[in-house]
Amino acid sequence: MDAQAPGAPAEAPTCYRHPGRETYVRCTRCDRYICPDCMRDAAVGHQCVECVQEGSRTVRRPRTVFGGQIPATPVVTYTLIALNVLVYLAQLSSSRIVYDFAMVGVRFDPYGEMHGVADGEWYRLITAAFLHSQPGGGSFGVTHILFNMWALWVIGPQLEQVLGRWRFTSLYLLSALGGSVLLYLVDPTGAAVGASGAIFGLFGAFFVIAKRLNAPAGGIVFLLVLNLVITFTVPGISWEGHIGGLLTGGLLTAVYAYLPRVQGSDHQRRTVIHAVAVAALLALFIALVAVKTSELTGLLSF
């Protein structure tokens, strides 16, 4: 290498990504020279593109007080609404869908064949939550799905943001399941359809979260009381589905909200406890359905 001649001007530094561009600005993280096109504003000075990308990978996403990562878009809520609407459109094309997938504990067709959960059709416990009254049928007709989807649209995004996606999904599905299980236990010959059990579970969850955060709960209390009045005064409504969903949603959200009392950084322990609570509640429902099915099949065999 040739030595620089005495008195010669020093060579100007250049950008590490664009060697032909002179610059005297360094990245505050890696100390390399960066040109204006490679500069990214930082808390102090500027950083290069690579350091910004590396920092983005290591930054923890914000979490709520309940341990859920805050989703930018309520994907689960919108997906549930879409599924309900699509199933309803399918119902309009074939009434057989309601017959095959509605919540029925035990039923005999004209040929004497038994159908329902007691005959092993356990899927009815959850598929019924995506079915609704046909236009002109039942106590509400098309308003059945309209009200349920309106309620899901209004409170679903808020709950999904607070709880995170997997907790919200578990809440919705277990609330729907809880309503069907209570109906099966109390009135196994009864039939029901609708997302109302899941919606009541969301009502219960909203109330618990409001109390946990010391937020106003008057609005949800009014809506809940109004719907309970309708539940017990309008004929043709499965009160078991509504109450079962409400109790399930309230109980599960109480676990989300109050167990465990940890700092926000201890989210792994909290996630494990919440996952165990979901699994335990599901196991309880399975056990209750199994016991009731054994009881019913024993009685029907005589």
Side-chain angles (χ1 to χ4, degrees):
M1 178 182 293
D2 296 334
Q4 182 177 336
E11 185 177 351
T14 59
C15 174
Y16 82 98
R17 296 180 72 221
H18 303 96
R21 299 181 184 179
E22 296 183 0
T23 180
Y24 291 90
V25 178
R26 295 175 183 264
C27 172
T28 56
R29 187 168 181 175
C30 67
D31 204 38
R32 292 180 292 189
Y33 286 103
I34 50 179
C35 68
D37 288 343
C38 299
M39 295 178 189
R40 300 294 183 269
D41 290 335
V44 177
H46 300 83
Q47 291 185 6
C48 65
V49 175
E50 293 179 6
C51 287
V52 169
Q53 293 174 346
E54 179 64 27
S56 299
R57 287 193 291 267
T58 59
V59 171
R60 292 183 177 180
R61 293 181 60 186
R63 293 180 179 273
T64 69
V65 68
F66 306 105
Q69 289 185 342
I70 301 176
T73 304
V75 175
V76 177
T77 299
Y78 296 158
T79 301
L80 290 171
I81 293 175
L83 286 174
N84 277 277
V85 172
L86 289 175
V87 171
Y88 193 71
L89 294 176
Q91 286 181 234
L92 299 180
S93 64
S94 174
S95 58
R96 183 76 189 182
I97 293 177
V98 176
Y99 184 85
D100 290 338
F101 296 99
M103 173 54 205
V104 176
V106 57
R107 175 184 63 198
F108 292 90
D109 63 22
Y111 303 99
E113 295 291 331
M114 185 172 70
H115 300 277
V117 178
D119 192 43
E121 298 173 349
W122 284 42
Y123 55 84
R124 291 178 179 270
L125 292 164
I126 194 66
T127 56
F130 293 91
L131 302 172
H132 288 85
S133 299
Q134 300 284 81
S139 301
F140 293 98
V142 71
T143 58
H144 189 201
I145 187 172
L146 290 178
F147 172 78
N148 283 339
M149 294 305 99
W150 170 81
L152 181 55
W153 176 272
V154 171
I155 67 175
Q158 300 177 64
L159 289 174
E160 185 175 346
Q161 183 180 39
V162 171
L163 296 176
R165 286 173 180 157
W166 80 262
R167 288 176 177 83
F168 176 74
T169 303
S170 301
L171 168 68
Y172 186 92
L173 295 179
L174 283 177
S175 296
L177 182 60
S180 295
V181 169
L182 185 59
L183 175 62
Y184 186 51
L185 297 177
V186 175
D187 184 14
T189 60
V193 294
S196 301
I199 298 301
F200 266 77
L202 299 187
F203 288 164
F206 201 100
F207 175 78
V208 171
I209 289 174
K211 300 303 291 184
R212 170 69 174 82
L213 300 177
N214 294 318
I220 194 64
V221 170
F222 172 79
L223 187 60
L224 183 55
V225 170
L226 176 62
N227 279 274
L228 287 174
V229 170
I230 295 174
T231 297
F232 289 102
T233 56
V234 176
I237 295 180
S238 170
W239 66 264
E240 298 93 344
H242 292 186
I243 299 302
L246 177 63
L247 294 176
T248 301
L251 176 62
L252 183 59
T253 307
V255 175
Y256 290 163
Y258 293 99
L259 294 178
R261 290 281 194 171
V262 298
Q263 298 298 321
S265 59
D266 195 8
H267 61 86
Q268 291 183 339
R269 177 182 170 219
R270 176 168 41 202
T271 298
V272 170
I273 292 176
H274 292 176
V276 169
V278 169
L281 193 54
L282 178 60
L284 173 63
F285 287 156
I286 293 174
L288 290 174
V289 172
V291 170
K292 187 64 177 182
T293 298
S294 177
E295 175 188 326
L296 289 174
T297 53
L299 292 175
L300 294 172
S301 63
F302 287 99

